[in-house]
Amino acid sequence: MSASINIALIIGSLRKESINRKFAEYIVSQMPDRVNIKEVDIADLPLYNQDYDDTTIDSYERVRQQLKDADAVLIVTPEHNRTMPAALKNVVDIASRPYKESIWTHKKVAVVTASPGSFGGINSGLDVRKSMQMLSAQMMIDPEIHLSRATDSLNEDGSVTERTQKFLQRFVTDFVDFAEKLGD
């Protein structure tokens, strides 16, 4: 039996009825029992400001600790104006500071994007990857998940369609494999 894996989940949308939240919940429901997932709440984070580096901000410390404790991070996010949402960028910045204390260094990270548009949030995903690579995170490259016309991947009750379930199952398997390769 494999050891347990701790995953931090960041949902880039703050909307309660976010389609990205629905996909994240489905992905979480498909994880093996040995995977522990804890969502990182990013809604209460003040905007990052370098002046805060010498100050203790409880919400910053909570997020930094959750990310430190995780073996890997799963980001599920929409695209806002052809890039990552401001709330997601904020947590990326918060966890990268203070200087030389970035939590992202060598952290395993995977990103899933979903959008009602035809590009599936790919620009957001690429911008997350670009930021993470600059911060020396280990990005999961394959499979890439950019769900286009994502509302078509949900049933009327908000559940994920069977076709999309099969697609996401490969991601779950590969992500768990990626996260298990600790220290790589």
Side-chain angles (χ1 to χ4, degrees):
M1 182 174 191
S2 299
S4 65
I5 304 166
N6 296 311
I7 306 295
L9 170 65
I10 298 173
I11 301 174
S13 174
L14 302 181
R15 289 184 56 232
K16 290 177 186 167
E17 294 301 317
S18 164
I19 59 174
N20 282 274
R21 177 166 294 285
K22 291 177 184 348
F23 290 115
E25 289 169 353
Y26 176 77
I27 290 168
V28 167
S29 76
Q30 298 306 299
M31 292 288 176
D33 290 340
R34 69 185 182 280
V35 176
N36 304 308
I37 298 183
K38 185 165 186 174
E39 184 175 347
V40 178
D41 182 9
I42 63 173
D44 64 339
L45 299 172
L47 286 177
Y48 175 73
N49 178 329
Q50 194 170 356
D51 291 342
Y52 298 157
D53 284 357
D54 295 324
T55 305
T56 299
I57 298 174
D58 291 340
S59 59
Y60 282 18
E61 296 308 313
R62 172 186 47 81
V63 164
R64 288 174 178 146
Q65 192 60 53
Q66 282 182 276
L67 294 171
K68 268 186 202 173
D69 292 345
D71 298 313
V73 178
L74 172 59
I75 298 171
V76 182
T77 186
E79 180 174 293
H80 289 177
N81 300 316
R82 298 223 175 160
T83 191
M84 70 179 94
L88 177 56
K89 179 65 166 93
N90 193 41
V91 74
V92 168
D93 292 344
I94 289 166
S96 74
R97 302 298 295 192
Y99 181 66
K100 293 190 177 187
E101 294 180 34
S102 175
I103 278 95
W104 299 116
T105 304
H106 306 298
K107 186 66 69 179
K108 293 187 175 252
V109 179
V111 63
V112 171
T113 63
S115 170
S118 54
F119 296 111
I122 192 168
N123 290 307
S124 177
L126 293 173
D127 284 348
V128 170
R129 182 182 298 171
K130 179 174 59 176
S131 289
M132 290 297 165
Q133 287 174 326
M134 193 287 302
L135 294 167
S136 299
Q138 295 180 35
M139 286 300 301
M140 181 173 150
I141 303 301
D142 182 48
E144 283 188 308
I145 305 294
H146 306 290
L147 298 170
S148 61
R149 296 180 186 85
T151 50
D152 295 342
S153 294
L154 297 171
N155 295 312
E156 285 185 26
D157 65 357
S159 63
V160 177
T161 63
E162 186 176 336
R163 179 175 179 251
T164 304
Q165 287 177 13
K166 290 177 184 175
F167 182 65
L168 291 176
Q169 189 57 53
R170 175 178 171 224
F171 171 80
V172 168
T173 301
D174 290 350
F175 178 61
V176 171
D177 289 346
F178 174 75
E180 280 183 321
K181 294 177 185 171
L182 301 176
D184 286 354

